[in-house]
Amino acid sequence: VQLTRRRIIAAAMDLIERDGIQAVSMHRLATELGCGLVSLYSYVPSDSALLDGVADALMSGFKLPPVGARTWPEQIREQVRAFREMARARPRCTMVVVNRPPSSAGMLRPVERALATLREAGFCGQDAIRIIRAVIAYVMGSVLGEIGVAPGLDAHDTEKRPLCLRPCEFPHLTALATELAVSNPDADFEFGLELLMHSLAAMQPTRAAAS
Amino acid sequence: VQLTRRRIIAAAMDLIERDGIQAVSMHRLATELGCGLVSLYSYVPSDSALLDGVADALMSGFKLPPVGARTWPEQIREQVRAFREMARARPRCTMVVVNRPPSSAGMLRPVERALATLREAGFCGQDAIRIIRAVIAYVMGSVLGEIGVAPGLDAHDTEKRPLCLRPCEFPHLTALATELAVSNPDADFEFGLELLMHSLAAMQPTRAAAS
DNA sequence: ACCTGAACACCGTTCAAGT
DNA sequence: ACCTGAACACCGTTCAAGT
């Protein structure tokens, strides 16, 4: 079985998803792959480069939804939903992406696509960039809140005690405890997405003349 | 000089802000404080608890803007801007907060305040929660994108090469390279915030009857 | 009883010694 | 020339040995 950069990164992704990011290390990865520790360094120059590779691999495997004959707001919505689906399917690997600056072409492909969608809809470059940045911020923050808080993703499975609050200091939070406990991540995500999309739809430029 | 949990966490925050999160460790913290390594463990039970303490201390020090006689949208805006100011003042410590579930009362105080603002404005508990979650997602994502990408915040000062892209594969991104290079974080942040607030203002409930 | 030095099992990375 | 075992300087945490 030949050692490859591809194989190393795939093993790292499996390990991250199985045991958490804390469990990943060069030593562990080497034993997992049954190869010498030092051999890894000829394919992956460092720890940090390994995580860049994981982020790139994950985002490259992320299939953008087909363009089809949809309106631009629906195209944006679909793309954002697809990203969130990936986050739910591979939460721990996605956290690596979220915490890493875009360091490779694979991570920018969805941005390019969104840019194309918005330019085609008639937005100028400046507006398209701003819109994408806002949407990315919302999506990243949602994913962070949704899966970053999930149990076991942090170190040591810290038993999350319910963190009981003094009602006198937190009257509203304690009053809404039951509403806060039952959460519907899908509905919450769609709600915030609609807030953004509703304002964006109102911003839609009048399409220049013909074609 | 008495050793205190307070002093330990303050030293950790200084160290994080000065040398980055990667540089923080129990060993290093002990030498920084001039105390024995093991002494730390009587005040901070673990590595992870230390970071929880940092997150809590930072958020507890975060001064909410006074309520004054503003409208609720302006109150929300001000609170969100205040958080972002803190993020800009202490970027590395803020990244700790962003990557950690709300683990203490200090981190929930701003949420309580926002909940009060929205309830007073006439929103029901469910709506208030959803709104806050959406706003938090946007703010967290913005901060993550804005300061998480900043140089030197990651490990080893990875020389950020400009990541040049092939124009044939990324026509829009390369065409907009100059627009992407000059970024105005304040304006970008406000733009996205207004997208949210604009939709929220349209959602404002008709205030029930009197008083 | 209390505090902590030395120790343990890890980690990323390097380098010289092997083939 | 190439690959890698052993080594180095770290890390979090523990425990028994000191006061």
Side-chain angles (χ1 to χ4, degrees):
Chain A
V1 209
Q2 173 69 6
L3 199 58
T4 322
R5 183 184 156 86
R6 184 169 219 77
R7 236 168 59 81
I8 292 172
I9 286 170
M13 291 176 73
D14 287 350
L15 200 51
I16 289 171
E17 214 54 71
R18 178 152 33 93
D19 296 346
I21 186 74
Q22 299 272 351
V24 177
S25 74
M26 298 302 241
H27 281 88
R28 184 112 149 64
L29 200 50
T31 63
E32 200 81 9
L33 284 161
C35 72
L37 163 64
V38 214
S39 312
L40 297 177
Y41 284 85
S42 23
Y43 302 91
V44 174
S46 77
D47 190 343
S48 157
L50 176 74
L51 294 184
D52 281 341
V54 166
D56 182 53
L58 188 69
M59 290 303 289
S60 296
F62 165 51
K63 285 292 161 224
L64 292 169
V67 173
R70 279 182 295 239
T71 62
W72 68 264
E74 202 51 42
Q75 281 183 54
I76 297 290
R77 266 187 275 256
E78 280 305 313
Q79 196 176 325
V80 156
R81 289 181 185 129
F83 180 84
R84 183 161 168 274
E85 282 311 307
M86 186 195 69
R88 294 170 72 87
R90 294 191 181 246
R92 287 165 156 132
C93 287
T94 304
M95 285 305 281
V96 173
V97 173
V98 167
N99 279 306
R100 213 141 264 276
S103 53
S104 68
M107 297 180 72
L108 289 175
R109 207 148 318 167
V111 176
E112 172 70 19
R113 168 74 79 89
L115 219 37
T117 299
L118 292 175
R119 292 308 305 265
E120 245 176 80
F123 288 98
C124 75
Q126 281 286 4
D127 285 349
I129 291 172
R130 270 208 214 294
I131 291 169
I132 289 172
R133 285 193 172 138
V135 172
I136 288 178
Y138 173 68
V139 173
M140 289 302 197
S142 294
V143 165
L144 194 66
E146 196 172 330
I147 72 188
V149 173
L153 287 175
D154 200 35
H156 308 306
D157 268 3
T158 56
E159 285 297 325
K160 60 167 178 177
R161 56 256 148 104
L163 181 63
C164 76
L165 301 168
R166 293 210 314 275
C168 61
E169 207 181 354
F170 297 96
H172 294 95
L173 272 172
T174 49
L176 291 168
T178 59
E179 284 90 336
L180 284 160
V182 296
S183 70
N184 187 337
D186 290 339
D188 288 348
F189 180 76
E190 289 293 328
F191 173 79
L193 181 58
E194 280 328 294
L195 291 181
L196 287 174
M197 295 310 295
H198 179 264
S199 291
L200 287 179
M203 248 185 78
Q204 180 161 21
T206 50
R207 193 63 174 280
S211 172
Chain B
V1 209
Q2 174 69 5
L3 199 58
T4 321
R5 183 184 155 87
R6 183 168 219 78
R7 236 168 60 81
I8 293 173
I9 286 170
M13 291 177 72
D14 287 349
L15 200 51
I16 289 171
E17 213 54 70
R18 178 150 34 93
D19 295 346
I21 185 76
Q22 300 272 352
V24 176
S25 74
M26 297 303 240
H27 281 88
R28 185 112 147 65
L29 200 51
T31 63
E32 200 81 9
L33 285 161
C35 71
L37 163 63
V38 214
S39 312
L40 296 177
Y41 283 84
S42 22
Y43 302 92
V44 174
S46 78
D47 190 344
S48 160
L50 176 74
L51 293 184
D52 282 341
V54 167
D56 182 53
L58 188 69
M59 290 303 289
S60 297
F62 165 50
K63 285 290 162 225
L64 293 168
V67 173
R70 280 180 294 239
T71 62
W72 69 264
E74 202 51 41
Q75 280 183 53
I76 298 289
R77 267 188 275 255
E78 279 305 313
Q79 196 176 326
V80 155
R81 288 181 186 130
F83 180 84
R84 183 162 168 273
E85 282 311 306
M86 187 194 68
R88 293 170 71 88
R90 295 192 181 243
R92 289 166 155 132
C93 287
T94 305
M95 286 304 282
V96 173
V97 174
V98 167
N99 279 307
R100 212 142 264 274
S103 53
S104 67
M107 297 178 74
L108 289 175
R109 206 146 320 171
V111 177
E112 173 69 20
R113 167 73 80 90
L115 218 37
T117 299
L118 292 175
R119 291 308 304 268
E120 244 176 80
F123 288 98
C124 74
Q126 281 286 4
D127 284 349
I129 290 172
R130 271 209 215 292
I131 291 169
I132 289 172
R133 285 194 172 136
V135 172
I136 287 178
Y138 174 67
V139 173
M140 290 301 198
S142 293
V143 164
L144 193 68
E146 195 174 329
I147 71 187
V149 173
L153 287 176
D154 200 34
H156 308 304
D157 268 2
T158 56
E159 284 297 325
K160 58 167 180 178
R161 55 250 148 115
L163 179 64
C164 77
L165 301 167
R166 294 210 314 275
C168 62
E169 207 182 353
F170 297 95
H172 293 95
L173 271 172
T174 49
L176 292 169
T178 58
E179 285 89 337
L180 285 161
V182 296
S183 70
N184 186 338
D186 290 339
D188 287 349
F189 180 76
E190 290 292 327
F191 173 79
L193 181 58
E194 280 326 294
L195 291 181
L196 288 175
M197 296 310 296
H198 179 264
S199 290
L200 287 179
M203 248 184 79
Q204 181 162 20
T206 50
R207 193 64 175 282
S211 173

